[in-house]
Amino acid sequence: MIKKNNLKIKINYLKKIKIFKKYNEAYFNKSKPIVDDSSYDDLKKEILELEKKYPFLINKESPSTKVGFKPSKNFKKVKHLVPMLSLNNAFDREDLVNFEKKIINFLSLKKNYLLEYSAEPKIDGISASLIYKNGNFVKGLSRGDGVEGEDITLNLNTIADIPRVLKGKNIPSEIDIRGEVFIQNSDFKKLSEKFANPRNAASGSLRQKNPEKTKKIPLKFIAYTFGFSKDLNISDQLQFLELLKNWGFKVNKFNRIIKGIDNLIKNHVELEAKRKEIDFDIDGVVYKVNDFILQKRLGFVGNAPRWAIAHKFSANKSISEILKIEIQVGRTGALTPVAKIKPVNIGGVLVSNATLHNEDEIERKDIRVGDIVTVERAGDVIPRVIAVDLKKRNKNSKKFNFPKKCPSCGSTTFKEYNKITKKIDAVRRCINDGYGCEKIAIEKIKHFVSKEAFNIDGLGKKIIESFWELKLIRYPQDIFNLDFEKISGLDGWGKLSVANLKYSVDDKKNISLSKFIYSLGIRHIGQENAKLLSKTLKNANKFFDLGKNNNFEEIFNIDGIGETQINSIKDFFSNKKNLIVLNELKKILKIKDEKEISKNDILGEKTFMFTGKLVGISRAEAKSLVENNSGKIISNVSKKLDFLVTGEKPTARKINEAKNLDIKIISQSEFLKMLNIKGS
């Protein structure tokens, strides 16, 4: 029984190791992280805790034995004189207390002994090792896997912050200086179209084969430690940082010498609040025991020093400044305030916009232009402003006045009264709900061509906006009457791209009734309600006839369609421009009748959910396959779910939830086999 349990534990452990290896390869070798820092740290913590509990698990790919990822084949491999190790992480006060307690116990010091730490901001960049002999820079290496690095000397030579010759006194005969290569946020603005964030930009630029290309990128370098040295006679980290400055290196101006856990936390909080003022990304503070003698006594455990730890910032929050508040008009006429903020890195993503939700939210939090605010980004959720630092508010700041007129068409805006909740809606809307408001019209057309609706390849949001500016599109029917000859003369459009667009448009003239209803963007009518309507009405003519003589009786008793939805449909059919659009589309499109559902169909009303990237098939097409074969799509993992279909990089949370509920988990190929379709 024990052996069987050990096997299960080992299988679970090895799965985590495999995922961790993928994360490392993406982060260190490809410069394209596939998860945020907090997810990476969580997995690392899970692996280390398993190893602590079950010592038989230790693996050569473990974070306890390995750092980074094997060096790229593009560069010569060179062994580090002293391995470039990683740091253990602290996330809260308890972690710091345990860190210090272990040091006190290891050194047999008194419990009340006040250790002195060098607290240094942790720069989110690329680690590099610089070897100097007799004061001359002779070789530069990347971290690599910690044992071997890549020889990137020529690329490092292009960075102005790296001295070719050390100046001043007390220069060792040989020393390996270590630090971080990074790009300032102000410089990154010019590169943001090519890279996801400053760290990716730094990594990609530093590992160019051609140093002339690296030279064009404004890379910076800050030094903070050494790996190997000869004839270096100093007693602590503070002295070493002073020496670095004297030799010609730049060091971090926010470095501090601190005693006591309370003071470390205070500095951490203050520095996190200052992140917006710093022109490069930092993701925490590194604490090093200042005394070199104590460092030597403490030594290392696994691949991390006992005398240092990284106190990480919260991965999903940051501090920024509101530069401007813009009002966006959505497809249903909703006026949404958006804060344009000073760009800030949150969880590996450069954020420059944050939602303010609605007028009530702005008033409740008293949000103003110029305010210093906390911005939160959790997972894939749109970044939002969660708090204002009133202490830093400018005395001359003015209260933000939400517009009472639509910023697009100038129509009156209003707030609806909800009969169910008996409250006035928090969202203010443009009264011109239709194609009479430019912004609403553009958003309606974007919705019309979206993946879940007509799914027209080549007609993305930017293209729709461009065609609107050129007056090629004003209504949905214009899409099927595009002037392709005029388009072929536009910049960026060749014969092939125009031909592909024409094919996509013509191909989508055939559409199911449910998708057609959804494509119209009727307020309160989402995909599920569109399906309910199409199943009841059965064919397009019955849908078109709804507006004739207020013929809405047939949809009154549909389970799932309530008073709110019915009133919204009535409003849609009462708008003359909507009726013109419907009449024109009726002439152009072939709308398929709703298929009668049979429990004997392939999927037999089974429920499905997808997670991860599907190969060779879009998520929208996969959902359509389910529905066309009498299956159902649901949006949450629950007992109602029959199959969770996994693609590439599935969400771990969904997998775990499915396992806990004994839901069958199948691959994309298994899903396609159910439909007698060969996988791509």
Side-chain angles (χ1 to χ4, degrees):
M1 188 67 181
I2 294 173
K3 285 185 178 179
K4 197 172 182 181
N5 285 339
N6 284 352
L7 182 61
K8 282 184 179 179
I9 292 163
K10 190 164 186 177
I11 289 170
N12 179 44
Y13 170 79
L14 290 174
K15 281 181 181 177
K16 292 180 186 294
I17 288 290
K18 189 177 179 181
I19 295 167
F20 190 72
K21 189 178 177 182
K22 280 185 178 179
Y23 288 175
N24 275 336
E25 183 178 14
Y27 185 85
F28 291 105
N29 202 31
K30 296 181 179 178
S31 304
K32 291 182 179 178
I34 54 179
V35 292
D36 58 30
D37 287 354
S38 60
S39 300
Y40 179 89
D41 291 337
D42 287 345
L43 180 60
K44 181 178 177 181
K45 196 174 182 180
E46 286 172 20
I47 291 170
L48 295 176
E49 283 175 354
L50 278 171
E51 290 176 355
K52 189 177 179 181
K53 194 172 180 180
Y54 308 105
F56 68 87
L57 288 176
I58 302 295
N59 181 281
K60 65 178 183 178
E61 299 292 342
S62 164
S64 64
T65 60
K66 195 168 185 177
V67 178
F69 197 76
K70 61 185 178 183
S72 165
K73 293 177 182 178
N74 293 335
F75 298 93
K76 181 182 175 185
K77 296 178 186 177
V78 178
K79 194 169 184 178
H80 291 293
L81 296 171
V82 172
M84 290 187 79
L85 303 177
S86 63
L87 293 171
N88 289 325
N89 292 327
F91 298 97
D92 51 33
R93 182 187 180 83
E94 186 182 355
D95 290 341
L96 293 179
V97 169
N98 289 334
F99 166 67
E100 184 165 274
K101 193 183 289 182
K102 287 176 183 177
I103 292 174
I104 298 289
N105 291 339
F106 189 89
L107 297 173
S108 296
L109 300 171
K110 291 180 181 179
K111 288 184 179 179
N112 61 352
Y113 185 89
L114 267 183
L115 282 164
E116 189 173 67
Y117 296 99
S118 175
E120 305 166 20
K122 185 176 179 294
I123 302 167
D124 189 16
I126 306 300
S127 299
S129 166
L130 315 175
I131 299 167
Y132 287 82
K133 289 186 178 180
N134 299 316
N136 296 302
F137 177 45
V138 294
K139 188 169 288 183
L141 307 176
S142 69
R143 178 193 288 277
D145 63 4
V147 177
E148 283 185 327
E150 302 153 336
D151 187 341
I152 51 172
T153 309
L154 295 176
N155 289 344
L156 289 169
N157 254 323
T158 67
I159 302 174
D161 290 347
I162 295 176
R164 307 302 175 269
V165 179
L166 301 184
K167 300 177 290 185
K169 300 176 181 178
N170 302 322
I171 298 170
S173 57
E174 188 173 350
I175 189 166
D176 165 18
I177 303 289
R178 292 176 177 179
E180 209 78 4
V181 177
F182 61 96
I183 289 178
Q184 293 182 156
N185 290 323
S186 54
D187 290 327
F188 177 69
K189 289 177 184 177
K190 302 165 190 172
L191 307 169
S192 58
E193 290 184 5
K194 295 180 181 178
F195 301 98
N197 55 55
R199 188 194 179 280
N200 284 13
S203 178
S205 306
L206 196 58
R207 299 167 81 231
Q208 292 269 8
K209 286 184 180 180
N210 184 355
E212 287 301 314
K213 290 184 178 179
T214 306
K215 193 175 182 179
K216 296 175 183 177
I217 307 299
L219 297 172
K220 306 290 182 184
F221 181 82
I222 280 182
Y224 50 71
T225 192
F226 64 94
F228 168 84
S229 72
K230 286 182 182 177
D231 318 316
L232 182 65
N233 297 312
I234 50 171
S235 61
D236 59 42
Q237 176 71 3
L238 178 62
Q239 287 183 23
F240 178 67
L241 292 173
E242 285 298 320
L243 267 182
L244 285 172
K245 282 196 285 185
N246 293 336
W247 291 342
F249 288 100
K250 288 181 179 176
V251 297
N252 204 310
K253 68 176 182 178
F254 294 101
N255 293 343
R256 301 285 183 269
I257 296 296
I258 298 173
K259 289 182 180 180
I261 299 296
D262 287 341
N263 291 325
L264 290 179
I265 291 171
K266 183 183 177 184
N267 177 67
H268 184 269
V269 170
E270 289 174 355
L271 198 57
E272 187 164 15
K274 285 179 182 174
R275 285 171 87 179
K276 77 156 202 73
E277 301 170 17
I278 302 171
D279 198 21
F280 50 85
D281 291 331
I282 58 173
D283 57 5
V285 187
V286 175
Y287 306 133
K288 303 171 185 174
V289 172
N290 189 42
D291 192 311
F292 280 172
I293 293 173
L294 294 183
Q295 284 189 17
K296 191 172 183 180
R297 284 178 60 193
L298 286 162
F300 302 85
V301 56
N303 66 349
R306 279 194 182 91
W307 44 266
I309 198 165
H311 189 182
K312 301 295 282 287
F313 291 143
S314 52
N316 62 344
K317 292 179 186 175
S318 193
I319 308 296
S320 189
E321 178 186 354
I322 295 182
L323 305 174
K324 187 180 180 184
I325 295 177
E326 290 185 353
I327 305 297
Q328 295 181 350
V329 184
R331 169 175 58 87
T332 62
L335 272 58
T336 304
V338 174
K340 298 290 180 180
I341 62 172
K342 187 175 179 181
V344 62
N345 193 307
I346 306 178
V349 176
L350 197 69
V351 174
S352 56
N353 296 328
T355 182
L356 299 173
H357 295 294
N358 52 54
E359 182 179 6
D360 290 357
E361 185 83 350
I362 290 180
E363 288 186 6
R364 186 173 66 80
K365 292 177 180 173
D366 189 18
I367 298 169
R368 306 181 184 186
V369 174
D371 277 349
I372 303 302
V373 293
T374 301
V375 181
E376 181 180 65
R377 178 183 176 270
D380 294 327
V381 177
I382 298 168
R384 62 194 182 108
V385 172
I386 59 171
V388 176
D389 189 343
L390 295 175
K391 292 177 183 176
K392 294 184 179 178
R393 173 170 283 169
N394 189 310
K395 291 178 182 178
N396 298 320
S397 76
K398 294 180 180 178
K399 193 177 179 73
F400 180 78
N401 294 315
F402 207 91
K404 298 298 184 282
K405 297 282 186 182
C406 174
S408 172
C409 66
S411 298
T412 303
T413 60
F414 70 103
K415 287 186 177 183
E416 285 181 333
Y417 176 74
N418 191 314
K419 292 179 182 178
I420 298 169
T421 62
K422 301 191 185 306
K423 290 181 180 178
I424 293 174
D425 195 351
V427 177
R428 185 172 287 278
R429 297 178 186 278
C430 172
I431 203 167
N432 194 351
D433 182 17
Y435 292 92
C437 175
E438 180 177 326
K439 292 296 181 185
I440 293 177
I442 293 171
E443 294 305 313
K444 276 183 173 288
I445 295 168
K446 286 179 186 177
H447 176 81
F448 186 83
V449 301
S450 66
K451 284 187 176 181
E452 291 76 17
F454 272 78
N455 191 23
I456 299 176
D457 289 337
L459 271 185
K461 293 179 179 180
K462 295 289 183 186
I463 300 295
I464 293 293
E465 289 172 3
S466 172
F467 283 4
W468 181 278
E469 288 295 320
L470 294 165
K471 298 182 179 179
L472 289 168
I473 291 176
R474 281 294 179 270
Y475 299 98
Q477 62 266 28
D478 296 337
I479 290 164
F480 302 100
N481 296 300
L482 282 168
D483 186 342
F484 291 104
E485 190 174 331
K486 186 174 181 179
I487 293 170
S488 64
L490 300 175
D491 287 342
W493 288 89
K495 286 185 179 179
L496 182 60
S497 56
V498 171
N500 287 339
L501 178 61
K502 187 177 187 305
Y503 173 81
S504 297
V505 169
D506 290 340
D507 185 51
K508 294 305 166 78
K509 287 180 181 177
N510 293 296
I511 192 167
S512 68
L513 177 57
S514 64
K515 284 199 170 190
F516 174 73
I517 294 171
Y518 174 73
S519 75
L520 298 172
I522 303 170
R523 194 173 166 212
H524 301 302
I525 304 299
Q527 286 175 279
E528 293 308 312
N529 284 334
K531 288 169 193 171
L532 291 174
L533 287 165
S534 66
K535 284 173 185 176
T536 300
L537 297 170
K538 298 289 190 293
N539 62 65
N541 286 332
K542 283 191 176 181
F543 175 75
F544 289 124
D545 288 345
L546 283 177
K548 292 180 180 178
N549 303 315
N550 292 318
N551 186 24
F552 299 105
E553 290 84 356
E554 198 164 352
I555 64 172
F556 279 161
N557 297 314
I558 301 175
D559 186 24
I561 301 290
E563 186 182 351
T564 300
Q565 287 78 18
I566 290 170
N567 287 337
S568 191
I569 293 167
K570 286 180 177 179
D571 288 343
F572 176 83
F573 278 96
S574 68
N575 186 299
K576 289 181 181 179
K577 285 188 178 177
N578 287 340
L579 295 178
I580 293 169
V581 168
L582 284 177
N583 191 48
E584 292 300 315
L585 289 173
K586 188 178 180 180
K587 297 174 188 175
I588 299 166
L589 303 174
K590 184 177 181 182
I591 303 169
K592 290 175 276 186
D593 291 347
E594 182 63 32
K595 181 186 172 186
E596 290 287 341
I597 292 176
S598 168
K599 289 188 179 180
N600 296 322
D601 277 356
I602 294 174
L603 301 183
E605 291 194 307
K606 295 291 184 184
T607 57
F608 291 80
M609 182 178 177
F610 296 91
T611 178
K613 183 183 178 183
L614 302 179
V615 179
I617 183 173
S618 70
R619 183 72 65 90
E621 187 181 352
K623 287 180 178 179
S624 180
L625 282 170
V626 170
E627 289 157 358
N628 290 340
N629 287 280
S630 302
K632 294 179 181 177
I633 296 292
I634 62 176
S635 56
N636 293 305
V637 177
S638 69
K639 289 181 180 179
K640 294 179 180 178
L641 180 63
D642 293 311
F643 296 97
L644 179 66
V645 184
T646 60
E648 293 179 353
K649 300 171 191 170
T651 303
R653 175 180 57 77
K654 291 176 183 175
I655 298 285
N656 292 332
E657 286 175 356
K659 285 179 179 176
N660 291 335
L661 294 170
D662 289 327
I663 291 162
K664 192 163 184 181
I665 301 170
I666 61 173
S667 66
Q668 178 184 336
S669 58
E670 289 172 313
F671 164 68
L672 294 175
K673 279 179 184 176
M674 291 175 75
L675 298 167
N676 299 318
I677 298 172
K678 290 183 180 180
S680 56

